[in-house]
Amino acid sequence: CPLQINSFWNLGFLLGITIILQIITGIFLGLHYTSDLNSAYYQIFFFIREIYYGRCLRYLHSSGASFVFLFLFLHLGRAISYGSYFYSSSTWFSGILLFFFLMATAFMGYVLPFGQMSFWGATVITNLLSPFPSLIEWLCGGHYVYYPTLKRFFLFHFIFPFLLCGFLFLHLFYLHFLSSNNPLRNSTNNKIPFFPFIFLKDFFGFILILCLYLLQTHFQISSFSHPDNALEVSGLLTPLHIVPEWYFLCQYAMLKAVPNKNAGFIILLTSIFTFFLFGEIRNLTTFCLLNNNAFSLSSFFLLVLTFLWIGAQF
């Protein structure tokens, strides 16, 4: 590894650990979960109350999603800030594909407990597909979120992480093919062995996030999930404020800011597809005007936080 990489380079490893934890806890949850419309909600409660360490597994998984996205945003921010997209575009493209997969998986996973917020969130997002004729019916197996929808979402939520692992190996292959980027942004011969130096640093980070996980799951430091999702689903009662999990608030803000639904949807997709342009920077001279100084970085960070805040408003 390059000699001068700092702690920001540990984020990828930590992200990998959180994803692996999600897969392990998810498999155990999947052994008990029933994707039946009438019993999905009660099954979660059964799991929490009646199964040994079920509560532990359930909250590890539900707050683990927040950890995955926390590390994902930091990891992505690091890549943008240190110009990794310029250094190795293949790694960047595979990373953005992983980002897509994670977003899809997280959305479908949020629908599975089938509380109020799950149902209405799924309704809002599936209705974005209304401009395409009979796509909603094809996706949901009906005109709205119903029996087949929950079955399909569970199925895809279970399969996607394993596909994601394939892209993960691709991501790592591209990374190791060229070695890591470094803060000086030039290819350097100052290399140090991965073991023990970087390994110990990673291990320290691993212990750190384990502590965070345990604090969150056992002491509920921050209540990530919306309280309305603890209520049983009712198709006749809309929640006062339909709002996604915090990691989708940026996209949700774009959706809410644009009066036209289809335009909002297009802008939402564009905001994510823009990341693909970063990998093409060496081929696009216009992007060279984006100089990475402290001001542009901090304003970018503030912009993201502002979007988060806007997304959470009524």
Side-chain angles (χ1 to χ4, degrees):
C1 282
L3 175 65
Q4 57 273 51
I5 58 175
N6 54 34
S7 298
F8 280 122
W9 268 257
N10 292 41
L11 289 165
F13 167 79
L14 299 183
L15 180 55
I17 291 289
T18 48
I19 291 172
I20 289 165
L21 275 170
Q22 284 301 86
I23 289 176
I24 293 168
T25 51
I27 287 171
F28 282 115
L29 285 167
L31 294 176
H32 287 279
Y33 179 76
T34 46
S35 58
D36 185 70
L37 200 69
N38 296 320
S39 58
Y41 174 80
Y42 296 104
Q43 186 62 43
I44 303 283
F45 279 88
F46 177 80
F47 195 84
I48 291 171
R49 290 170 185 168
E50 303 297 330
I51 292 164
Y52 278 138
Y53 297 108
R55 168 192 61 87
C56 216
L57 278 174
R58 196 258 151 145
Y59 288 114
L60 268 174
H61 197 74
S62 66
S63 51
S66 285
F67 281 115
V68 166
F69 277 92
L70 177 69
F71 289 126
L72 191 144
F73 291 143
L74 291 171
H75 182 58
L76 193 64
R78 198 266 313 148
I80 291 173
S81 147
Y82 286 107
S84 302
Y85 47 82
F86 194 88
Y87 184 77
S88 162
S89 47
S90 311
T91 316
W92 174 261
F93 286 136
S94 56
I96 300 302
L97 273 174
L98 284 171
F99 182 35
F100 269 106
F101 262 105
L102 278 170
M103 284 176 77
T105 313
F107 165 66
M108 286 187 290
Y110 191 58
V111 180
L112 298 184
F114 222 59
Q116 269 288 65
M117 217 35 102
S118 297
F119 174 76
W120 289 102
T123 305
V124 167
I125 302 299
T126 48
N127 278 339
L128 286 177
L129 305 172
S130 59
F132 308 104
S134 62
L135 185 58
I136 295 184
E137 289 82 347
W138 181 77
L139 188 77
C140 294
H143 291 280
Y144 48 89
V145 180
Y146 202 51
Y147 277 100
T149 322
L150 199 57
K151 280 259 192 289
R152 290 168 189 192
F153 275 26
F154 177 51
L155 190 70
F156 283 117
H157 184 69
F158 203 93
I159 291 171
F160 268 24
F162 298 105
L163 292 174
L164 186 125
C165 280
F167 282 106
L168 199 66
F169 280 115
L170 197 67
H171 191 59
L172 288 176
F173 168 77
Y174 281 132
L175 173 76
H176 289 184
F177 189 69
L178 198 60
S179 156
S180 294
N181 185 14
N182 57 338
L184 298 182
R185 295 187 206 147
N186 54 2
S187 201
T188 170
N189 291 323
N190 294 346
K191 295 284 165 70
I192 50 170
F194 184 82
F195 185 87
F197 303 111
I198 312 286
F199 176 78
L200 283 173
K201 213 171 169 183
D202 277 343
F203 187 71
F204 176 72
F206 173 62
I207 301 295
L208 201 70
I209 60 165
L210 218 56
C211 291
L212 280 175
Y213 256 94
L214 295 177
L215 274 174
Q216 172 57 28
T217 46
H218 291 81
F219 299 103
Q220 201 83 42
I221 298 300
S222 129
S223 172
F224 287 131
S225 198
H226 197 282
D228 276 7
N229 217 27
L231 302 173
E232 194 187 354
V233 82
S234 156
L236 303 171
L237 180 70
T238 318
L240 181 64
H241 184 205
I242 299 176
V243 66
E245 289 283 77
W246 67 268
Y247 38 84
F248 290 144
L249 283 176
C250 284
Q251 282 82 347
Y252 198 58
M254 294 168 204
L255 215 54
K256 285 202 292 191
V258 183
N260 185 327
K261 183 169 75 172
N262 302 344
F265 187 42
I266 290 168
I267 286 177
L268 187 151
L269 286 177
T270 317
S271 75
I272 307 164
F273 278 121
T274 318
F275 283 124
F276 281 114
L277 284 178
F278 276 90
E280 295 290 340
I281 275 194
R282 51 182 64 185
N283 306 333
L284 298 169
T285 46
T286 44
F287 271 100
C288 297
L289 300 170
L290 287 170
N291 55 335
N292 268 338
N293 50 30
F295 177 73
S296 65
L297 283 177
S298 48
S299 56
F300 175 72
F301 186 62
L302 280 171
L303 194 70
V304 173
L305 286 183
T306 316
F307 265 92
L308 270 176
W309 182 77
I310 293 171
Q313 299 312 302
F314 269 116

